[in-house]
Amino acid sequence: MSATRHFLTDLDFTPDEQSKVLDLAAAMKADKYGYAPYAGPQTVAVFFDKTSTRTRVSFHAGIAELGGSPLVINSADSQLGHKESIADSAKVLERMVSTIVWRTFAQSGLEEMAANSSVPVINALSDDYHPCQLIADLLTVREHKGKTKGLTMSYLGDAANNMANSYLLAGVTAGMHVRIAGPEGYLPEARIVEAAQQRAAETGGSVMITTDAAAALADADVVVTDTWVSMGQEDEKEARLKLFTGYSVTAQAMKLAKDDAIVLHCLPAYRGYEIDAEVIDGPQSVVFDEAENRVHAQKAVMTWLMVASGLAEDDRVEL
């Protein structure tokens, strides 16, 4: 029997696997109801420790489109990690559901869940990574640029968060030149940078970590940002707004990127802070394509993991 595959970080897919998942996502977008790895319907448990709009809707819709039954559970309604250990929960869930999706805080919880589960575990966001978002983003880049390899992707803002980590790791896995810009003290950890550099050496991508927003933006093909005030940081809002002012994606800043650069934002967006309204609502913005692509990307991730784990069969899915 195949070893169970999980998707906990952006590096859980090799460059070749990531490309195949992106190919599958494009095929699924063109054939919305053509794949049914969860026929039965089989159940997929989707746990939320954090609030959500796009993640909740996209997983619910995607699981249904794959022939499955989504079981969405808020943390307050379960024993997971509270009255019952994560390991025990995993051993119970693997007997009842076909995949476990978890939007949570600590990456260690996801790792413990995966270590004790014989069905795929998917990181729907943790404090360290947001890998499903990046599959959607790379699909969007492919759609608008025709490729990922060799393109320059520049991220501005809070560069010490899960989004910056995932843009760095997934971007170089896709063969991109990834530039991350933020103020001192808000840059990726050394372990993330080192892992990205190692992966970039395999793919021909590259890594730039800088405090210079202009240097990061120069001739960029893809410009990315994220909220400056994430969940749990509301008390720091005023200080953060002042700190990150020089890293806003404004119309003036976009003049440093290529004329045909596209703009990504994982949403929700706060116009006038990390991005100007005229940019996110302008012709270079592809944020709503990006949001839609969460459905197709996550369907591809779930299907690929099921087939790779020997839990579903589909000759169209390349491993």
Side-chain angles (χ1 to χ4, degrees), residues 53-110:
T53 300
R54 276 153 298 280
T55 300
R56 182 182 296 267
V57 175
S58 59
F59 267 110
H60 192 126
I63 292 161
E65 290 172 12
L66 294 175
S69 177
L71 176 60
V72 178
I73 306 166
N74 293 324
S75 58
D77 301 328
S78 77
Q79 311 285 13
L80 177 60
H82 304 294
K83 294 183 178 179
E84 183 172 49
S85 71
I86 293 171
D88 283 356
S89 293
K91 291 170 184 176
V92 170
L93 289 167
E94 68 178 1
R95 295 172 179 239
M96 299 180 178
V97 305
S98 296
T99 301
I100 301 166
V101 179
W102 194 7
R103 180 179 174 94
T104 189
F105 295 91
Q107 183 72 17
S108 59
L110 285 155

Side-chain angles (χ1 to χ4, degrees), residues 168 172 176-180 193 196-197 200 205-209:
L168 191 52
V172 295
M176 302 180 81
H177 303 294
V178 184
R179 302 171 181 171
I180 305 289
V193 177
Q197 290 171 332
S206 66
V207 173
M208 173 195 284
I209 309 297

Side-chain angles (χ1 to χ4, degrees), residues 6-202:
H6 307 288
F7 191 43
L8 308 184
T9 84
D10 305 88
L11 296 181
D12 283 341
F13 289 152
T14 66
D16 182 60
E17 289 171 347
Q18 184 198 69
S19 182
K20 288 174 178 175
V21 170
L22 289 167
D23 289 342
L24 180 58
M28 288 180 155
K29 187 170 184 176
D31 186 9
K32 191 172 183 180
Y33 302 107
Y35 296 77
Y38 295 126
Q42 299 174 53
T43 300
V44 176
V46 189
F47 288 92
F48 285 91
D49 293 344
K50 294 185 175 185
T51 57
S52 167
T53 300
R54 276 153 298 280
T55 300
R56 182 182 296 267
V57 175
S58 59
F59 267 110
H60 192 126
I63 292 161
E65 290 172 12
L66 294 175
S69 177
L71 176 60
V72 178
I73 306 166
N74 293 324
S75 58
D77 301 328
S78 77
Q79 311 285 13
L80 177 60
H82 304 294
K83 294 183 178 179
E84 183 172 49
S85 71
I86 293 171
D88 283 356
S89 293
K91 291 170 184 176
V92 170
L93 289 167
E94 68 178 1
R95 295 172 179 239
M96 299 180 178
V97 305
S98 296
T99 301
I100 301 166
V101 179
W102 194 7
R103 180 179 174 94
T104 189
F105 295 91
Q107 183 72 17
S108 59
L110 285 155
E111 293 168 357
E112 184 177 355
M113 180 74 79
N116 289 279
S117 174
S118 60
V119 300
V121 175
I122 297 173
N123 179 357
L125 178 140
S126 70
D127 288 344
D128 291 346
Y129 309 101
H130 199 354
C132 288
Q133 177 70 56
L134 263 292
I135 298 298
D137 288 7
L138 293 173
L139 176 62
T140 309
V141 172
R142 273 189 174 197
E143 289 175 344
H144 288 271
K145 292 295 184 181
K147 63 177 183 177
T148 56
K149 190 172 180 64
L151 297 180
T152 296
M153 180 164 65
S154 302
Y155 173 95
L156 271 63
D158 184 354
N161 67 6
N162 49 9
M163 288 309 308
N165 291 345
S166 280
Y167 278 117
L168 191 52
L169 297 173
V172 295
T173 297
M176 302 180 81
H177 303 294
V178 184
R179 302 171 181 171
I180 305 289
E184 287 287 357
Y186 294 86
L187 296 171
E189 294 179 22
R191 64 182 179 87
I192 301 293
V193 177
E194 183 179 357
Q197 290 171 332
Q198 291 175 356
R199 179 58 62 90
E202 300 175 33

Side-chain angles (χ1 to χ4, degrees), residues 187-246:
L187 296 171
E189 294 179 22
R191 64 182 179 87
I192 301 293
V193 177
E194 183 179 357
Q197 290 171 332
Q198 291 175 356
R199 179 58 62 90
E202 300 175 33
T203 65
S206 66
V207 173
M208 173 195 284
I209 309 297
T210 181
T211 58
D212 187 339
L217 282 170
D219 293 324
D221 299 286
V222 182
V223 177
V224 190
T225 190
D226 184 27
T227 178
W228 294 340
V229 185
S230 298
M231 285 177 283
Q233 297 174 337
E234 291 80 6
D235 291 346
E236 305 171 33
K237 180 177 179 179
E238 292 306 317
R240 282 176 165 269
L241 295 184
K242 293 178 182 177
L243 184 66
F244 295 117
T245 298

